[in-house]
Amino acid sequence: MKGQLILEDGSVYKGNLFGAVNPSEAVTGEVVFNTSMTGYQEILTDPSYAGQIVTLTFPLVGNYGTSPVFSESDKIWAKALIVKENYMTENNGFKALNEFLKDHKVTGISGIDTRSLTRHIRSCGTMRGYIKAGSEYDCDVLREHQDIKAKDDENLVAQVTTRKIYRLPGKGPRVVVMDFGVKKDILRQLQIKGADVVVVSAFSEARDIFSLNPDGILLSNGPGDPAHVPGIVATIKKLLGRVPIFGICLGHQLLALAFGAETYKLKFGHRGANHPVMDLETGKTYMTSQNHGYAVKEKDLRRLGLVVTHKNLNDGTVEGLRHRYLPAFSVQFHPEASPGPQDSGELFEEFYDMIIKKKHEEQVI
């Protein structure tokens, strides 16, 4: 079926719909791009993409099929998928991407000049858009969907967080994960270290978190603007200094806000599996997996007791922080590398070592 992507600035990209197609409904969302060459299933099921229409810049998508083992959550969170070419058949018994989208009631559109679309977003900045059936440009439909510009304040974390506490038992220290949209592979990395993992809602109170007797707290990845969840920031403030804290992606931004820093929206975000990041303390450069549209302002971080530990080598943005005195650190990228390179996986070990050191100090006292 013919279809088209229409951006809020009136730009039109024509293609063919696949996956779950409803001719009478348009799909709206923030249009972003990801430069990963593989990992389309992990991207689609990453809760950090809630509310977004994802463009994949790699030209051929779907060629190795889909499998439950690749999913980062139990559903597709992306609103829709944009590709240049969709590989339609099964591969080695794995379900085709087309069928995977149908199962999750998500629309895709192929035949789009994704290079042109990506260059447009890079030039003009991330913008909202919608995908609809048909090949004719419809000004009336565009006017009907002008509300797509006004949804940036939507609380996406509330949509993706767990509704109930759950535990992944382990024999090691207890790590409480505040779920802002946590990926399965982050939890898997904690389990590999032997941690006793307890996952709680993003909106849990500090007293309820402490009642679980955590040895460490992980602030997970997630979608949206960190400034739109002030209640979570207030909770994190109450957690500071009590036990080691590790923040990832949105968790990194929220930890920075809890210390008094500021965040801002990037022109077109960082989304892909090849972003170079330098560890300023060792001089080592990591190739990292990233998915975020906001960043932490570097101004005043030193005054707040925060040390910049990592920087993005493409644009100089802050990619990692640690507090000068308190046991808390964070990174903007995804050290679990799903999808992407595994260069920075040692950060989970650093977190685990911080927990063990803290427990030993308490026992000595």
Side-chain angles (χ1 to χ4, degrees), residues 133-317:
S135 58
E136 297 300 322
Y137 180 74
D138 191 334
C139 294
D140 291 333
V141 173
L142 183 60
R143 281 192 291 269
E144 289 172 8
H145 287 81
Q146 284 302 303
D147 63 327
I148 63 178
K149 291 184 179 182
K151 294 185 178 179
D152 286 339
D153 60 349
E154 190 175 16
N155 188 351
L156 296 169
V157 172
Q159 296 179 25
V160 302
T161 190
T162 182
R163 298 293 185 267
K164 60 181 181 180
I165 295 175
Y166 63 94
R167 181 185 175 201
L168 304 171
K171 296 181 179 180
R174 171 163 290 181
V175 176
V176 172
V177 176
M178 292 187 71
D179 176 15
F180 310 135
V182 68
K183 296 163 68 176
K184 286 183 177 180
D185 207 53
I186 289 178
L187 301 179
R188 193 176 300 121
Q189 293 300 322
L190 295 173
Q191 288 181 286
I192 289 172
K193 297 299 299 179
D196 183 26
V197 180
V198 180
V199 184
V200 302
S201 166
F203 303 99
S204 299
E205 297 289 343
R207 63 176 179 272
D208 296 325
I209 293 173
F210 284 129
S211 72
L212 297 170
N213 299 313
D215 296 306
I217 296 171
L218 186 140
L219 311 176
S220 85
N221 63 292
D225 186 343
H228 290 161
V229 285
I232 295 176
V233 175
T235 296
I236 295 172
K237 287 182 180 179
K238 297 175 183 177
L239 303 176
L240 298 176
R242 300 284 294 273
V243 296
I245 297 177
F246 179 26
I248 295 175
C249 200
L250 179 62
H252 157 80
Q253 298 161 10
L254 293 172
L255 182 64
L257 290 175
F259 278 117
E262 298 180 37
T263 57
Y264 64 100
K265 188 168 185 176
L266 297 166
K267 185 175 181 180
F268 48 80
H270 299 160
R271 297 174 181 88
N274 59 349
H275 289 254
V277 169
M278 177 175 282
D279 183 332
L280 301 181
E281 298 179 331
T282 66
K284 181 178 180 180
T285 296
Y286 300 118
M287 295 306 294
T288 67
S289 177
Q290 304 211 5
N291 171 20
H292 61 101
Y294 295 82
V296 175
K297 287 185 179 180
E298 189 168 359
K299 181 183 177 183
D300 295 331
L301 291 179
R302 183 172 293 276
R303 179 180 61 80
L304 297 170
L306 294 169
V307 176
V308 177
T309 58
H310 298 77
K311 276 199 170 184
N312 190 298
L313 293 181
N314 286 334
D315 60 10
T317 52

Side-chain angles (χ1 to χ4, degrees), residues 33-34 70 79 85 87 109 124 128 180 191 200 207 225 243 250 253 256 263 297 322 331 345 348 365:
F33 65 87
N34 186 296
F70 298 143
K79 295 291 290 292
E85 183 178 349
Y87 190 90
I109 184 168
C124 300
R128 299 186 66 85
F180 310 135
Q191 288 181 286
V200 302
R207 63 176 179 272
D225 186 343
V243 296
L250 179 62
Q253 298 161 10
T263 57
K297 287 185 179 180
R322 65 172 172 82
V331 291
F348 286 99
I365 293 174

